Amino acid sequence: MLYLIKEKDILGKLYDFKNTTFVNFYLDKALIYYQLNDFMLAKNNINSAIKIIEKNYSKSHYLNSFANTTLASIYLKTNNLEKAKKILSEVIAIESKSKYPSEYLGDAYCILGDCLLKQFNANKAITYYQKAVALYDNIYGNKNVYSIDALIGLSNSYIQIGDFKKALSFAQIATSYTIRNNQIIFPYDHWETQLQALICKKELYKTKQTNENAESIIAQIKQTSLEATKIKNTFVSINNQLHYAEKISELNKLGIYFLTHTVQKDKDKLADDLLFFIENDRANILRNNILNIKSNALLPEKYKDEETNLKSRLNYFTTMRENGEEESTPYFSLNDSILLYSNKYETFIKSLEKSYPKLYKYKYEQHKVSILQIQKHLNKKDQFIEYFNDNENYYCLVISKSGSKIFCCGNKNNIDSIVDILSASIQQKKYNIHAAALLGNKLINKEINYKNWIIAPDDLLNNVPFDALLYSNKTIKPNYFLYQHTMQYTFSASIFCNKERITKNEQIQVFAPNFTNSTFSKLQTKNELSSLKKFKNYVDYNDSFSTKNNFIKNIPKAKVIHVASHLIVDTINPLKSNLIFQPSKNQSYFLSIDDIKKLSINAQLITLAACKSNFGKTNFGEGLLNFPWSFYFAGARNILTTKWNASDKTTDNIIAEFYTNLRKGKSKSEAIQKAKIKYLATTDAIGAQPFFWANFALNGDASSINIAPSFLEKFWWLPILFLLFMFFINFQLKRK
């Protein structure tokens, strides 16, 4: 995109924006937005290109076919199938009249096949996929990359019909197109054709039409997963990695399906094999970031400093552009600076990986987490509970110091429906205890009975307040899980096991904007701020000092960061949701989820005392991308957030008590548990609704939060008393 903007700057100085030279610029830009799933901007750029094409070229020109097939692809993605089919029919009619039809006729056939398949018209779709393969093979020869999508389309068509053996045969033909002389020539397509073959094998296995051993299929899935992960890790861009992780997610679901639907003799191996696929299906970007940090620790100091400098400059210019600021000279624009430092950073990283093979190996080799590794991070009273699904059922893997067990929770669609019912009842302040008890019994087996729970949720289970669930709805007073168990949430098992980093930071930093003369409502923060002031090394950035710039500048020195503010939630693009700092006319006071991950933090705890700070976007292959995810990516170890909007007064009281408990030396999960229990003991029937207290969730890893005062800080008067006592004894001795 940066190169395209540069191209536009140059072309704009030479030509009018309606000149034919701009056609390829608009088309290339549309394709980038298409890959980013921003279909509105993709469509706008395609239409700009089409206007120029219609004015300057005939309908039979190849650019007209290219632009219109791309537009049809956008309509296909947005489920506007009739519009897509109409455009494609016009392209096919025009191209078919040509003596030498272009490859875009093949694209039109293939996309039309996709439309028909979406409309469950597989028989007609097959006709168009076959035409596409024939045309591509005629133009490019046998085993060309363009035929692969059409062959996958044929495989999917036969899956829809129910002829799984024929579906598998086309998937295998597609795989053969990626290989020449026993060498993989199209690696990016090879693993996807393997995935398609495995999907067919699953259907054959379900319908008992195959004799292939399940263990053999599981081994194939593992191998394909490793192949796909290696390709994913070649991408520098986080957006590209997320896109690839999402595609790999289906592969991991297949592995989970075969492991949970076949009889496994070795239960320990089953648990470790499941863990392989579960972990591959979540927190990939967080895990890669941790590996980058650890691998870079192997480098000499001069290279660490150079990397920090390049990243800082790149983030600085990127943030300027996102804030709408401009820094330009007659020779360089802000875009040029971003392009320059992007290239410098990528070249620097690649040169390091070449010069330091150990670093390359550490970053890109498979790092498997095992049951044994997790057990090393658990205490005797801990249970690690990781939920996962195979698109049909939810399961949970439960690990304690003494062993591991796997439980089936039940049908995924059924459980998701109960989660929706429970969530709605919480928001309406009419807690559905029947749904809570039903969900409690499905998600928490009776053998999950240890005191401390570390929970890694999956999919919609991220919305569940586990401490507000019940085993029974027959008691007069709800016996919430809260009363028997402490709870901590984590992104995945490997994140929970992330080795604790040493921090010399001591500051307890507080950011509390003053919203009195703004469009935002004033917050009640008296109790939580009073509780924080009791800590040593308390640093106050309140009111006019609570700026976005102060936050970015000072948080690298913080041990604990407390933000009492508002959030602006973007439901269309959740990663653009913003944390609000002191409103100002002169500088930006918004900090988005995207911005946060660029920060450098080494804090033990971040508390976001703001409504819906757990809000985000679920990305298959990564999990919930939200404020806790972004802060953890930036280097924070534990993040206390809220799942939904809640009472200002309740937030103030519970968080104040949380800090009081931490000051007394309680663990992080025990501190929030006791704060909630104390609140329930002192509130009325309305305040006891889970809406008011169950939204607080602690996310993070196995690291502890050490902010309790030391023995001498707590009992500072003991040395003085001792000296006075010695003085008194000495005085008495002298008198004698």
Side-chain angles (χ1 to χ4, degrees):
M1 185 63 81
L2 295 170
Y3 284 107
L4 284 176
I5 295 169
K6 183 66 181 172
E7 180 188 2
K8 183 184 178 184
D9 290 343
I10 295 168
L11 292 175
K13 292 174 183 177
L14 300 173
Y15 306 104
D16 180 82
F17 282 102
K18 294 179 181 178
N19 191 282
T20 53
T21 315
F22 277 94
V23 170
N24 285 322
F25 163 75
Y26 286 123
L27 291 173
D28 289 341
K29 200 174 173 187
L31 289 172
I32 290 173
Y33 281 124
Y34 180 86
Q35 289 172 351
L36 293 171
N37 291 330
D38 194 334
F39 301 120
M40 182 62 74
L41 287 175
K43 183 181 165 185
N44 290 344
N45 279 278
I46 283 289
N47 285 328
S48 297
I50 288 172
K51 282 180 183 177
I52 299 172
I53 292 166
E54 286 177 345
K55 189 176 180 181
N56 295 279
Y57 301 104
S58 68
K59 282 193 173 184
S60 60
H61 196 278
Y62 78 94
L63 281 174
N64 184 63
S65 298
F66 176 34
N68 278 291
T69 51
T70 307
L71 182 60
S73 294
I74 295 167
Y75 284 130
L76 170 66
K77 281 283 188 181
T78 53
N79 288 316
N80 202 334
L81 301 180
E82 292 306 318
K83 269 194 175 182
K85 284 165 67 178
K86 184 181 177 183
I87 292 168
L88 293 166
S89 298
E90 289 172 3
V91 171
I92 290 168
I94 293 166
E95 284 280 349
S96 297
K97 292 176 183 176
S98 172
K99 189 177 179 181
Y100 302 105
S102 71
E103 68 269 26
Y104 300 117
L105 176 58
D107 293 351
Y109 285 143
C110 198
I111 299 164
L112 186 53
D114 292 341
C115 290
L116 291 164
L117 200 59
K118 266 198 169 185
Q119 292 178 323
F120 298 96
N121 193 346
N123 287 310
K124 199 170 181 181
I126 287 169
T127 305
Y128 287 103
Y129 287 132
Q130 287 172 336
K131 285 182 177 182
V133 173
L135 185 75
Y136 288 137
D137 284 357
N138 183 50
I139 295 173
Y140 296 108
N142 192 20
K143 293 195 174 182
N144 65 85
V145 71
Y146 302 98
S147 292
I148 293 170
D149 284 344
L151 288 164
I152 295 290
L154 283 165
S155 177
N156 282 324
S157 298
Y158 282 107
I159 286 176
Q160 197 175 97
I161 290 168
D163 190 342
F164 305 127
K165 288 184 178 179
K166 207 159 189 179
L168 177 60
S169 70
F170 277 108
Q172 290 169 335
I173 293 168
T175 300
S176 72
Y177 271 56
T178 67
I179 299 168
R180 193 165 294 161
N181 299 324
N182 295 320
Q183 294 290 320
I184 298 171
I185 55 172
F186 300 127
Y188 289 84
D189 298 279
H190 180 264
W191 82 266
E192 290 194 50
T193 63
Q194 292 285 83
L195 168 61
Q196 183 65 25
L198 289 162
I199 290 168
C200 298
K201 288 183 180 185
K202 176 189 172 183
E203 296 303 326
L204 287 167
Y205 187 86
K206 283 171 72 175
T207 53
K208 298 181 180 179
Q209 296 182 54
T210 180
N211 294 320
E212 188 170 1
N213 188 289
E215 287 186 8
S216 167
I217 299 173
I218 291 166
Q220 292 169 45
I221 296 169
K222 271 191 173 183
Q223 183 56 43
T224 309
S225 178
L226 291 170
E227 183 183 331
T229 302
K230 280 181 182 178
I231 292 170
K232 173 180 68 66
N233 289 344
T234 62
F235 292 107
V236 175
S237 160
I238 287 177
N239 283 333
N240 281 335
Q241 286 195 21
L242 283 171
H243 173 69
Y244 233 72
E246 195 162 7
K247 291 172 77 175
I248 295 170
S249 178
E250 191 168 0
L251 197 56
N252 296 316
K253 294 286 192 292
L254 282 172
I256 291 167
Y257 175 85
F258 278 101
L259 284 167
T260 53
H261 286 75
T262 55
V263 177
Q264 302 286 326
K265 293 178 183 177
D266 189 338
K267 298 298 180 185
D268 291 335
K269 186 177 184 301
L270 169 63
D272 275 325
D273 282 346
L274 269 174
L275 203 53
F276 172 87
F277 291 115
I278 296 166
E279 289 298 295
N280 257 18
D281 203 33
R282 62 181 67 187
N284 281 284
I285 308 304
L286 287 181
R287 193 163 57 248
N288 287 352
N289 191 49
I290 291 165
L291 290 175
N292 286 339
I293 292 167
K294 289 180 178 179
S295 61
N296 289 351
L298 304 171
L299 294 172
E301 285 299 322
K302 65 174 184 177
Y303 292 125
K304 291 181 191 175
D305 292 341
E306 188 175 350
E307 190 204 14
T308 302
N309 181 52
L310 286 171
K311 280 181 76 174
S312 298
R313 297 303 294 166
L314 181 57
N315 287 338
Y316 170 75
F317 290 120
T318 305
T319 303
M320 280 186 69
R321 186 184 65 183
E322 287 172 355
N323 291 340
E325 300 172 42
E326 185 58 66
E327 183 183 83
S328 60
T329 70
Y331 307 102
F332 283 97
S333 68
L334 186 58
N335 187 67
D336 292 325
S337 300
I338 296 169
L339 200 56
L340 174 68
Y341 281 100
S342 294
N343 286 332
K344 277 189 172 185
Y345 183 69
E346 194 165 336
T347 303
F348 172 74
I349 293 299
K350 286 179 179 177
S351 68
L352 281 182
E353 290 170 354
K354 192 174 181 180
S355 304
Y356 292 87
K358 283 185 178 179
L359 179 141
Y360 181 88
K361 187 180 177 184
Y362 192 85
K363 282 173 76 171
Y364 297 115
E365 71 180 2
Q366 190 72 23
H367 291 263
K368 284 175 63 178
V369 64
S370 67
I371 301 293
L372 194 60
Q373 282 176 283
I374 297 169
Q375 287 173 327
K376 286 178 181 177
H377 288 83
L378 297 175
N379 296 316
K380 287 183 179 179
K381 294 183 179 180
D382 295 346
Q383 276 181 313
F384 182 86
I385 310 162
E386 186 154 36
Y387 291 92
F388 57 98
N389 76 83
D390 60 1
N391 287 329
E392 293 181 11
N393 295 300
Y394 276 118
Y395 302 86
C396 70
L397 173 61
V398 182
I399 304 167
S400 65
K401 200 78 174 171
S402 57
S404 63
K405 286 193 176 182
I406 300 152
F407 300 103
C408 179
C409 302
N411 181 269
K412 185 178 186 297
N413 290 335
N414 183 18
I415 289 174
D416 284 346
S417 298
I418 302 169
V419 171
D420 287 338
I421 291 167
L422 184 68
S423 298
S425 74
I426 290 172
Q427 297 298 321
Q428 294 162 8
K429 304 183 188 67
K430 295 177 181 178
Y431 194 58
N432 190 325
I433 60 170
H434 302 290
L438 188 58
L439 206 54
N441 282 283
K442 284 182 177 293
L443 298 180
I444 303 294
N445 187 280
K446 297 291 183 183
E447 292 185 47
I448 307 175
N449 53 15
Y450 286 32
K451 184 178 186 297
N452 306 318
W453 292 349
I454 300 105
I455 301 169
D458 180 44
D459 208 351
L460 275 192
L461 301 187
N462 280 289
N463 299 334
V464 176
F466 279 80
D467 50 4
L469 298 184
L470 312 160
Y471 278 132
S472 173
N473 56 14
K474 294 178 181 177
T475 54
I476 297 170
K477 183 182 177 183
N479 189 21
Y480 299 119
F481 287 170
L482 170 74
Y483 292 114
Q484 288 87 35
H485 308 280
T486 69
M487 290 181 203
Q488 178 198 328
Y489 298 90
T490 189
F491 304 99
S492 75
S494 54
I495 299 303
F496 176 72
C497 295
N498 184 19
K499 190 177 177 182
E500 194 161 347
R501 282 174 288 168
I502 297 169
T503 176
K504 295 180 180 178
N505 296 348
E506 292 297 333
Q507 288 186 4
I508 312 290
Q509 295 181 1
V510 177
F511 295 85
N514 186 343
F515 295 114
T516 303
N517 297 314
S518 73
T519 55
F520 301 98
S521 60
K522 190 176 179 180
L523 295 173
Q524 186 172 324
T525 57
K526 182 182 176 182
N527 291 335
E528 59 197 84
L529 298 186
S530 296
S531 183
L532 281 158
K533 285 176 184 177
K534 294 174 184 175
F535 285 101
K536 185 184 175 184
N537 301 315
Y538 170 84
V539 182
D540 189 331
Y541 293 102
N542 293 345
D543 301 337
S544 60
F545 294 99
S546 188
T547 63
K548 173 183 166 182
N549 289 341
N550 265 344
F551 182 79
I552 294 169
K553 179 183 175 183
N554 291 291
I555 55 171
K557 298 176 281 189
K559 186 174 189 176
V560 173
I561 302 165
H562 180 91
V563 183
S565 186
H566 287 290
L567 294 177
I568 294 180
V569 170
D570 189 331
T571 54
I572 297 170
N573 189 350
L575 298 187
K576 295 298 180 185
S577 297
N578 286 294
L579 184 58
I580 310 301
F581 289 90
Q582 187 62 42
S584 168
K585 293 179 181 178
N586 304 318
Q587 57 182 312
S588 169
Y589 50 93
F590 298 130
L591 190 68
S592 73
I593 292 175
D594 267 343
D595 295 331
I596 290 165
K597 69 176 184 287
K598 299 170 190 171
L599 303 177
S600 177
I601 303 172
N602 194 11
Q604 287 185 349
L605 171 67
I606 291 182
T607 298
L608 296 178
C611 291
K612 293 182 79 170
S613 50
N614 209 44
F615 175 82
K617 171 192 175 186
T618 298
N619 194 101
F620 294 113
E622 185 64 23
L624 189 60
L625 306 183
N626 55 7
F627 284 98
W629 178 89
S630 200
F631 272 116
Y632 194 89
F633 185 93
R637 308 311 301 275
N638 297 277
I639 306 99
L640 181 64
T641 59
T642 54
K643 288 180 177 287
W644 53 79
N645 292 333
S647 160
D648 199 12
K649 185 178 178 181
T650 305
T651 300
D652 189 34
N653 290 337
I654 290 177
I655 289 180
E657 190 63 24
F658 168 69
Y659 283 121
T660 299
N661 292 332
L662 286 178
R663 188 172 161 75
K664 290 176 181 176
K666 301 293 182 187
S667 70
K668 53 190 177 181
S669 53
E670 193 178 5
I672 192 64
Q673 179 204 30
K674 289 190 174 298
K676 291 179 179 182
I677 289 173
K678 183 175 179 180
Y679 167 79
L680 282 170
T682 55
T683 191
D684 56 21
I686 295 173
Q689 282 279 331
F691 173 84
F692 293 99
W693 57 269
N695 61 338
F696 298 97
L698 188 68
N699 301 267
D701 54 33
S703 61
S704 55
I705 301 173
N706 304 311
I707 56 176
S710 65
F711 179 83
L712 284 177
E713 286 173 332
K714 286 170 71 176
F715 301 103
W716 56 268
W717 44 270
L718 278 177
I720 298 170
L721 187 64
F722 178 75
L723 288 172
L724 287 171
F725 176 73
M726 292 303 294
F727 177 79
F728 175 75
I729 295 295
N730 189 49
F731 177 74
Q732 290 295 327
L733 288 171
K734 282 183 177 180
R735 285 185 65 185
K736 290 179 181 179

